[in-house]
Amino acid sequence: MRISDWDSENLIDDFINTRVIRRGLDRRTEKAYRMDLEQFYIWARGNKDAAPGMSENGWGNEMELYLSYLVREKSLRPSTIYRKHKVLNYHLLYLMEQGVVADRGPLKHELPPKEEQEPEKTQGNSLLSKKEVDAFFQAMNREYEDLDSNFRKRVCLRDLVMMKLLFYHGIEISQLLRLETTDYNRKTAVLTVGGKRGQSHSVHLFSRSLQSAVDRWLEEHESFERGNEYDRCLFLSKLGRPLSMKMVIEIFDKYRELAGIEKECTPKDLKRSMKRYAREVVMEQCV
């Protein structure tokens, strides 16, 4: 079958829904994935050198031809090629799971050498220092103590627990958003965190203050429950629905500004800052 015989819009929409939205990724990621896939399908329909038929193996061949075209004729930056390669690989895996293509493994297109990639602009001053993260949590603690509304205190407690899990243990935001109330064992202070391909790992909450905060949050959790299928989510919005990655980043930005931190972190900066702070905190615990 040729690509034109398939409803590419439905394929893209279902892929975005299952691989982006349901995993709590933000709107910027959704927009970037959709744009990359739409550009591929548009190119494939008009490509004279495309595979003669979209057989089970034709889809992957078409994607590799497209990547070669981008490198050869569009002269895109290596970092852009890497991103598109990753998105197309994700989409190919989705097509295999849907039975559209046979299990043929990842794309084999040869990527530019890593040394040719552009230097990371966010690697240096955009990352938060330990002093800044400490100030960030001080701002959160002050906010919690100063609030006079019980409901707003519950919201602030939820935010404090989320941020401490992210920064103390280097948990990724997407993993945080998939946590359920049963993933935490209050007796052992062990949190089961889901990973890729259904794998999971255990995280022991070494901080007594964090253990106490999680216990308090679980006691307050019912205030956010609305008697629906989302009640099992560990972190809920004010309306009793799962939080999105965008919401978590907005919460971070709120307290970053309250702490007087002028750096505007991208999601990638934030992820690196969290993992670096987690390493520093662990090292302190070992001293």
Side-chain angles (χ1 to χ4, degrees):
M1 272 186 131
R2 293 200 60 79
I3 285 183
S4 56
D5 295 328
W6 288 86
D7 188 345
S8 59
E9 289 187 8
N10 283 341
L11 286 174
I12 293 174
D13 286 343
D14 188 59
F15 170 79
I16 293 294
N17 185 48
T18 57
R19 294 304 175 91
V20 180
I21 297 176
R22 289 184 185 177
R23 295 187 177 188
L25 303 182
D26 64 12
R27 295 283 297 178
R28 286 171 291 188
T29 302
E30 176 187 347
K31 183 178 179 180
Y33 275 39
R34 186 179 297 278
M35 179 183 67
D36 286 341
L37 292 175
E38 287 176 348
Q39 289 174 348
F40 161 68
Y41 279 107
I42 290 171
W43 173 87
R45 290 194 187 99
N47 179 28
K48 295 179 181 179
D49 298 323
M54 293 314 296
S55 63
E56 288 185 332
N57 291 324
W59 291 79
N61 296 338
E62 199 95 346
M63 291 177 181
E64 288 171 355
L65 285 171
Y66 176 62
L67 289 168
S68 296
Y69 158 78
L70 294 178
V71 173
R72 185 179 64 252
E73 299 186 28
K74 303 301 287 184
S75 300
L76 297 181
R77 294 176 298 181
S79 58
T80 302
I81 298 296
Y82 267 85
R83 190 196 75 227
K84 290 180 179 292
H85 182 276
K86 181 173 69 173
V87 173
L88 289 174
N89 254 327
Y90 287 156
H91 191 56
L92 183 60
L93 177 61
Y94 156 80
L95 293 174
M96 287 189 286
E97 291 175 349
Q98 298 301 309
V100 178
V101 302
D103 187 352
R104 50 146 282 156
L107 298 177
K108 298 178 181 178
H109 177 75
E110 186 175 350
L111 295 172
K114 288 190 175 181
E115 58 266 20
E116 292 183 15
Q117 296 184 66
E118 292 181 299
E120 288 285 357
K121 297 178 181 178
T122 61
Q123 187 68 39
N125 294 332
S126 296
L127 300 187
L128 298 178
S129 67
K130 185 177 184 302
K131 182 178 180 180
E132 288 171 323
V133 178
D134 289 341
F136 170 83
F137 282 118
Q138 289 169 9
M140 295 195 79
N141 288 327
R142 286 196 302 270
E143 172 91 346
Y144 181 79
E145 295 299 330
D146 292 343
L147 289 173
D148 54 8
S149 163
N150 288 333
F151 185 75
R152 290 180 65 193
K153 271 186 174 290
R154 295 187 189 107
V155 173
C156 187
L157 174 62
R158 177 204 67 189
D159 297 346
L160 185 59
V161 170
M162 288 195 302
M163 291 300 147
K164 283 192 173 183
L165 287 175
L166 292 170
F167 277 99
Y168 282 22
H169 295 281
I171 297 172
E172 296 189 9
I173 297 177
S174 58
Q175 295 174 324
L176 180 90
L177 296 175
R178 292 196 296 269
L179 291 173
E180 298 184 356
T181 53
T182 54
D183 289 330
Y184 182 64
N185 187 321
R186 299 177 72 168
K187 291 184 178 180
T188 60
V190 170
L191 182 68
T192 302
V193 180
K196 296 180 180 179
R197 301 179 182 88
Q199 298 176 340
S200 62
H201 64 279
S202 298
V203 173
H204 178 259
L205 307 191
F206 58 79
S207 167
R208 294 293 180 87
S209 64
L210 177 53
Q211 293 177 22
S212 175
V214 174
D215 288 343
R216 296 202 313 274
W217 165 243
L218 288 172
E219 292 169 1
E220 301 287 1
H221 191 274
E222 63 181 15
S223 299
F224 293 78
E225 297 173 6
R226 298 294 181 269
N228 56 41
E229 70 272 23
Y230 303 122
D231 288 353
R232 65 180 182 274
C233 295
L234 182 56
F235 299 108
L236 295 169
S237 71
K238 298 175 184 178
L239 300 178
R241 300 181 66 84
L243 296 171
S244 67
M245 184 172 290
K246 180 181 178 181
M247 291 177 183
V248 175
I249 293 174
E250 287 175 348
I251 291 168
F252 164 77
D253 283 335
K254 170 187 173 181
Y255 290 103
R256 173 183 60 79
E257 293 173 1
L258 282 177
I261 302 171
E262 296 182 355
K263 295 176 182 176
E264 295 185 7
C265 297
T266 66
K268 187 178 292 186
D269 295 332
L270 187 54
K271 179 179 178 179
R272 289 197 181 103
S273 296
M274 289 171 175
K275 290 188 178 299
R276 184 168 75 174
Y277 185 81
R279 288 195 298 269
E280 292 173 340
V281 170
V282 170
M283 288 179 65
E284 285 184 351
Q285 296 295 314
C286 295
V287 173

